[in-house]
């Protein structure tokens, strides 16, 4: 149901069973799949010359919470979920089931894989490249200008399964390797090797990720996190993770 | 007065002399005391299964500024004051005269005492426990997952009269003792003793809090801050503080 | 064009060719020049006793993006540009072509020169004094209370052409000198000499600013940035900068 106070362009191409909350605006160049729920006070498909005519495309089963802003010119797979007051600029290309926390700000011109989770108040600079199953926690900033202000833009690259803890920043052009963990409140100015932990400002090597133990009383390794943390992922994906974990333990 | 563009559920239980601004939504499961002023573009009592049927309960004389979002399932004492664009999730339980600054994000499932002040852009993770007369300054984050992502949740505990300065983070399960000060830009990974100052990343002991002198030309100790800072507290509370301060000076 | 859902006070003094988006509110004590574009869901000229009766004054050709909030009692030169959800409190006095990024929060009682750029999520405490052509990057906080909470307010002073990189904080009363660079993730607790680079927490001297080389393959100095970065500045200003740069190179 579309609330009568919402302003929805007749040119927007909306799927079936869409809900749109009060005082929300949906502009012309918008294409949204079936079953989307869009909260109140949003602005969806904000026109922008920087989108070069591309529409905003959102897959099926999206949940966009109130006061959020999406520009035209980005593309999202199915099951996009956002918190409140997110901002997404032009030319963001994201896979399935991206979650974007409250107040997060995606500056556009970036690529994001499948099943990525941004927690609250994350800032993703332009030219960032983010893999699959990545976690980015509150107040993390991905930067892109080595010597601001300049016209050089070098986005960071965050590989599959990496996790960046709260209030850390990733400096321009840095790669955080697959399965790596950046500790909280770190400033990362050089590449992080896969499956390692770094922390500090500037961030330094702490240990291999699998040396950290979970604080749940089991003494199991905390990383790879996919060995124990499965909330919100598809059953088939989790089954594969468990199979891989078992293979690792057998071979170890 | 309720603005004609506001959408107020007839099921909401509102006190007398309520003001509701334009384009604000008040949902069903809401109970607000007398004399509340609610700004424009808010969403109050957002329905949520996580509230397990509990309403949003707000005491008398609340001031909620524009673009703020409160979920159902939290409880606030009298004289709640918020800035703009605050977000408060389910199962926040707070005492009297809580102040929540612009852009602050309370993730719910936390307890907050009386006369607590959150400045702008504060992030309070779930399971946080906050005493009375606590101060939390801009861009402070209280975290709760020791090894993210995991299912372990260990909220920090902030005791009475503690102050956490700008852009600091408190790591999961840490206790900041009564009257302690966390310096700006710190990362606190172990308990802070009462009435001490810590700073740095990781935060280390700096001195006892009463060794810091106010920069107002008097040379008085800056802490306990309640000896000199009284703005916004009830007269009876301040009178008691002054009596305690005198007793301390006599005995010293 | 003023959208029919907008609520515009007949007392507001608006110039010609103004656009006002849906669900935006313009209050009484507002004066806006010609050609302004104001997005949706804004609140402009919010009444406040702290403004002591002064109106909100905005020059010509302003662009204020959606969900932004301006209190009465501030003054802006021509060509103000904001992102989304900015907050500007009373008694902010700013020159020409100020840019304020998404989510930034100006606490008021501050002065800002010409052609200043605040990126996203910047927090400018009261009593801050900011020169001309200053750059402040995401998640930077300018603080003002040396021993919070107290009644002492000492704003930082940021001089012309200075740049403060992402997630740094400037402590109360600190001066960042002309053309200086504060590196990312720094905490600046003492004055920064003109044309120098500081970094760290607490921030320390790194080098002279002109020793840093641009990462654009040319090997040119990255600072003064005005020697190579000209986007968005008036032609006459840039011509003068280039003339000065040439004079410097000839004399060197």
């Amino acid at each position: 149901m579309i609330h009568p106070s919402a302003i929805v362009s007749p040119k927007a191409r909306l799927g079936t069973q869409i809900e749109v909350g009060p005082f929300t605006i949906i502009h012309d160049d918008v294409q949204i799949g079936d079953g989307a729920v869009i909260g109140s006070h949003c602005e969806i498909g904000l026109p922008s010359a920087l989108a070069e005519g591309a529409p905003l495309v959102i897959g099926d089963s999206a949940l966009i919470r109130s006061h959020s802003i999406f520009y035209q010119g980005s593309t999202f797979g199915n099951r996009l979920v956002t918190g409140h007051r997110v901002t997404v600029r032009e030319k963001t290309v994201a896979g399935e089931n991206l979650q974007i926390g409250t107040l997060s700000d995606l500056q556009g011109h970036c690529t994001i894989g499948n099943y990525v989770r941004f927690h609250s108040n994350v800032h993703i600079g332009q030219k960032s490249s983010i893999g699959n199953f990545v976690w980015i926690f509150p107040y993390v900033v991905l930067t892109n200008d080595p010597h601001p202000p300049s016209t050089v833009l070098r986005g960071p690259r965050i590989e599959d399964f990496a996790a960046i803890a709260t209030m850390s920043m990733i400096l321009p052009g840095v790669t955080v390797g697959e399965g790596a963990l950046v500790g909280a409140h770190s400033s990362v100015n050089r590449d992080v090797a896969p499956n390692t932990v770094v922390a500090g400002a500037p961030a330094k090597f702490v240990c291999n990720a699998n040396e950290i133990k979970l604080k749940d009383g089991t003494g199991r390794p905390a990383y790879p996190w996919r060995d124990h943390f499965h909330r919100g992922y598809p059953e088939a994906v989790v089954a594969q993770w468990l199979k891989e974990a078992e293979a690792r333990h057998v071979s170890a």
Side-chain angles (χ1 to χ4, degrees), chain A residues 9-22:
Chain A
S9 164
K11 293 185 185 163
R13 295 164 57 192
L14 306 184
T16 59
Q17 305 228 292
I18 301 273
E19 288 181 38
V20 178

Side-chain angles (χ1 to χ4, degrees), chain A residues 25-178:
Chain A
I25 303 164
I26 300 184
H27 291 275
D28 295 355
D29 290 319
V30 171
Q31 186 177 329
I32 300 180
D34 297 336
V37 176
I38 300 174
S40 67
H41 305 94
C42 290
E43 189 161 17
I44 306 295
L46 201 63
S48 168
L50 297 178
E52 298 175 323
L56 171 67
V57 179
I58 295 177
D60 293 335
S61 305
L63 170 56
I64 296 176
R65 290 194 173 88
S66 75
H67 300 82
S68 290
I69 301 165
F70 282 73
Y71 279 67
Q72 73 169 100
S74 290
T75 304
F76 297 87
N78 294 331
R79 298 189 305 289
L80 170 68
V81 177
T82 84
H84 302 279
R85 310 186 187 88
V86 309
T87 310
V88 181
R89 299 293 307 252
E90 309 85 351
K91 303 207 173 179
T92 299
V93 178
E96 301 259 314
N97 194 222
L98 171 62
Q99 297 184 0
I100 309 176
T102 290
L103 290 170
S104 288
D105 185 357
L106 282 62
Q107 302 258 298
H109 296 267
C110 63
T111 61
I112 301 169
N114 294 313
Y115 297 97
V116 168
R117 276 82 175 100
F118 298 144
H119 210 287
S120 303
N121 216 329
V122 156
H123 181 95
I124 306 295
Q126 289 184 4
K127 303 287 179 190
S128 297
S129 166
I130 296 172
N132 302 297
F133 302 105
V134 165
W135 279 89
I136 299 191
F137 290 95
Y139 294 61
V140 165
V141 179
L142 271 53
T143 66
N144 57 24
D145 183 350
H147 296 126
S150 81
T151 58
V152 180
L153 278 185
R154 292 187 174 182
R157 175 180 169 83
I158 315 297
E159 297 187 339
D160 297 357
F161 299 105
I164 303 176
T166 300
M167 213 179 276
S168 287
M169 60 179 298
I170 309 298
L171 287 160
V174 165
T175 294
V176 176
E178 183 170 332

Side-chain angles (χ1 to χ4, degrees), chain A residues 197-232:
Chain A
V197 180
V198 301
K204 292 183 178 150
F205 174 82
V206 174
C207 62
N208 290 317
N210 63 7
E211 295 175 55
I212 295 187
K213 303 304 177 196
L214 262 187
K215 292 200 173 159
D216 67 350
T218 65
R220 289 180 296 173
Y223 302 93
W225 56 260
R226 63 187 180 274
D227 287 5
H228 62 84
F229 187 86
H230 303 143
R231 194 169 58 217

